[in-house]
Structures are given as structure tokens and as C-alpha cells.
Amino acid sequence: MTLRLQALHPLFAAQASGLDLTQALSAQDVKDINAAMNHYAVLVWRDQPMSPAQQIALSESFGPLDIGLKRVFKRKERLDDERLIDISNVDLNGELHRRDSPKNLSSFANQLWHSDSSFMSPKAAYSMLHALVIPSEGGNTEFCDLRAAYDALPLDLKEEIQDLSAEHYALHTRLLLGDNAYTDEQKKAIEPAVWPLVSVHPGSKRQVLFVGVHAHKIMGWPIAEARIFLSDLLEHATQRSFVYAHQWQVGDLVMWDNRSTLHRGRRYDLNQRRELRRTTFNDVPEANLAAV
Ligand code: OGA
Ligand code: MN
């Protein structure tokens, strides 16, 4: 079987088919998917129902998996394997979470434009999200293309940001959402990470405007001025022409490159179940991300 791709948006994102992701991928399959990811940055696979073990095996063929924010929260989790991130509104007993539960709070942070784990070093490379239960309406996931965002910047802004770096902090989104009940130990569990505002994506060699809601400072700038500028850049990067909105179907597997895109979840009725499972691996030398 060979990989087939069909564009979903004029700039990026494609529907991928032709491979069975529940079976072991060949080295050539991994290479082909990486090449497609370098080009499209988001791949949507329909009708790939898979077990937790199958999702882990699939993800591990690209890189060693990471637990991200679980380093801070250390909550008892519904999914047995810590490498699976529970993107759901369902508690340990299989019931819907209370509206104001800590878990729902984390999910609200996912509704702000972000790149997974940009608050850590190394940061995330790909994430893979698999849909098990979806609400009857709402709950899309939107993606924006940070390469197109960079390309469309006016020249003077490109020059201004060329040598700037931003600090990304794990708890910034939580503080924004009014949640500051963290111990000093939790606040320090993940050292903030500093990333250039402009980077070159290693696989595509395209320049990327690397912003997102985890960025809370620009190095050497007053905080207020930095936050306003970061929010202007984020607004630029997420303008509708750069956005692909994914409408979930059960059995979808969506993979995206956190180094070249941002994403956010959209609102839905919390009285309805929404259950997805995520795996993420980091941009480390051991990752199987051969550039093509
Ligand atoms: C994620 C995420 C958004 C959503 O899983 O990393 O941000 O739509 N999810 O659930
Ligand atoms: Mn995310």
C-alpha cells in the first residue's frame, strides 16, 4: 500500500490514506509520512480505529513519547499508560467531570492557540490525536500554518523579529485562566524554555513564526510591551486564511507538527462526552524525523 494525499486547505493540511496505521509501518512508510508532514504539517487520517497499544506503537515509530505537563500535575489518570494523554471530559469512574474540575481547566487551556510543550526543552515535534467519542456539535480542533504566517509578515516586521527570542512558560495559560493554585514545586517542575521568534523548520527548511499562548516574555523587553507584541503576532498568525478547522469523526487520527503549526480546541457542550487520546514526541536527535 502506498500513501495517498489530498489537500484540505490551500496552504497546508492534507487527508492521508492508503496505509493502515494500526499495523507496523515500514521504514519507507515512516519516511513517506515525514515527507508529507514536512510539506503539509497536518495529516488527517479517517477511519483508523485503534487501541491504546496501537496508538503508542504508531507514535513510537516516529520518536520516543513524552508526558509533557503531567510532570506538573501528577494527577491520577484514567488511561493506564502515562504516555497516553487523556483529552476528555470524563473522570476516573467514567462519568462526566464536574464543570469546574481541574481536568476541565486543563482542557480549557487547550482552547487557546498553542504548540504542545513549547514550554519545555526539547519541545514537541509531532502530536497525534485520536478520536473515540465526539459531541454532536462543536469541539472542532483548529490548526494554523506558522510558515505561511512568517511569509506574510511585512518586511520591516521580519527584520524586527529576526533576532528576538520568547520565553515559554508551562503555567502561563493556567494563570491566564484564573488558576494559580500551584505549589512552588509545581511552578518549578518545568523550567521555562526560550525559543527564537523565527526559526527554520528542519524538514521543510521554511521559516516559521514561532508564537503561541505559552510565550509570555520577549527576552530583553519590558513585559507589557512584549505581551502586546506577542498577542499581535499571534493574531496575525491565526488569521482565518491560515487556519484549517478539523471537524472530528470517530476513528480519526490527526497528526500535526508542533514546530510549524499552532492548534486550539473549540467550545462544545460539557454535558456531552468528548474523548480523544493524544501521543506526543519531542524534537530530539533520537526521533525518526529524517528530512527529505
Ligand atoms: C491537544 C489539544 C485540542 C482539542 O490534544 O494537544 O490541544 O481540540 N487538543 O482537544
Ligand atoms: Mn495541544
Side-chain angles (χ1 to χ4, degrees), residues 30-52:
V30 171
K31 211 167 161 225
D32 291 348
I33 292 173
N34 281 328
M37 288 290 280
N38 288 337
H39 188 72
Y40 288 105
V42 178
L43 294 182
V44 171
W45 306 76
R46 299 281 191 192
D47 198 20
Q48 297 273 350
M50 62 178 76
S51 66

Side-chain angles (χ1 to χ4, degrees), residues 16-169:
S17 57
L19 299 178
D20 180 353
L21 300 184
T22 65
Q23 303 302 309
L25 296 177
S26 68
Q28 188 60 46
D29 294 338
V30 171
K31 211 167 161 225
D32 291 348
I33 292 173
N34 281 328
M37 288 290 280
N38 288 337
H39 188 72
Y40 288 105
V42 178
L43 294 182
V44 171
W45 306 76
R46 299 281 191 192
D47 198 20
Q48 297 273 350
M50 62 178 76
S51 66
Q54 284 168 328
Q55 185 172 351
I56 288 173
L58 166 71
S59 310
E60 281 193 320
S61 44
F62 293 88
L65 302 190
D66 191 73
I67 61 168
L69 266 179
K70 286 187 188 175
R71 284 188 182 77
V72 177
F73 297 135
K74 302 199 165 84
R75 289 193 283 254
K76 189 155 172 32
E77 295 283 340
R78 196 167 67 100
L79 305 177
D80 293 334
D81 193 312
E82 70 164 1
R83 295 168 297 174
L84 289 169
I85 298 163
D86 181 23
I87 304 292
S88 82
N89 57 350
V90 177
D91 70 14
L92 293 170
N93 303 317
E95 308 289 333
L96 286 172
H97 270 294
R98 280 181 30 198
R99 201 168 166 187
D100 62 350
S101 67
K103 178 70 184 181
N104 278 351
L105 184 74
S106 304
S107 311
F108 284 123
N110 282 341
Q111 295 187 27
L112 299 164
W113 284 109
H114 65 281
S115 165
D116 289 336
S117 299
S118 72
F119 45 74
M120 295 186 341
S121 182
K123 60 181 157 44
Y126 300 174
S127 292
M128 302 189 190
L129 196 52
H130 181 49
L132 303 167
V133 180
I134 51 161
S136 58
E137 57 180 327
N140 286 354
T141 305
E142 297 185 342
F143 299 88
C144 77
D145 184 343
L146 295 175
R147 307 160 307 175
Y150 178 80
D151 292 346
L153 282 172
L155 200 56
D156 58 337
L157 267 186
K158 283 183 177 161
E159 280 166 8
E160 184 173 4
I161 64 175
Q162 189 55 44
D163 297 317
L164 295 179
S165 292
E167 182 177 282
H168 297 233
Y169 178 46

